[in-house]
Amino acid sequence: MEIKMMRAPSVLLTFLISAFLLLPVFASNKVYIVYLGGHYHGKDATAEDFNRATNFHKEFLGYFFESKEKAQQAIVYSFTKHINGFAAYLDEDQVAQISNIL
């Protein structure tokens, strides 16, 4: 019983340390909304259509990061219904690169 009680604080401590280590990664970045225009799916869109849009956002942003996984961590929200775009933590260089493409 005592061992389990000791593990809980150590797990919590590990989580907090990990969270603080990740904080500087996004500390210098700001959240930007990237507007990509309208969606190709219509009013009768399915969950699969929304997932396809979200995956496209990750792949698109992955071009400006080292991987799709890092892009996924940077994305705060994917707009999949009314507009085509996403909100993500980006640095100024990434914003400039994306602006040049769009």
Side-chain angles (χ1 to χ4, degrees):
M1 196 68 121
E2 290 178 26
I3 295 173
K4 289 182 182 178
M5 293 179 72
M6 293 300 290
R7 282 188 174 177
S10 66
V11 170
L12 179 60
L13 182 61
T14 302
F15 172 77
L16 290 174
I17 290 171
S18 299
F20 284 117
L21 290 176
L22 288 175
L23 188 60
V25 171
F26 294 116
S28 63
N29 298 348
K30 296 179 184 175
V31 175
Y32 290 87
I33 296 175
V34 178
Y35 176 70
L36 300 171
H39 285 289
Y40 294 106
H41 56 260
K43 294 179 183 178
D44 299 326
T46 64
E48 184 178 324
D49 292 324
F50 299 141
N51 288 336
R52 195 174 306 123
T54 300
N55 285 332
F56 173 75
H57 298 157
K58 293 173 192 174
E59 288 175 16
F60 176 82
L61 194 57
Y63 177 79
F64 304 98
F65 283 83
E66 294 175 11
S67 68
K68 183 178 172 182
E69 289 75 24
K70 287 187 179 185
Q72 182 175 353
Q73 292 173 352
I75 292 178
V76 176
Y77 186 79
S78 280
F79 299 97
T80 59
K81 294 182 182 177
H82 303 290
I83 68 168
N84 184 9
F86 56 88
Y89 285 99
L90 303 170
D91 63 29
E92 291 184 21
D93 291 338
Q94 292 164 328
V95 171
Q97 290 174 351
I98 292 170
S99 295
N100 288 335
I101 288 178
L102 300 176

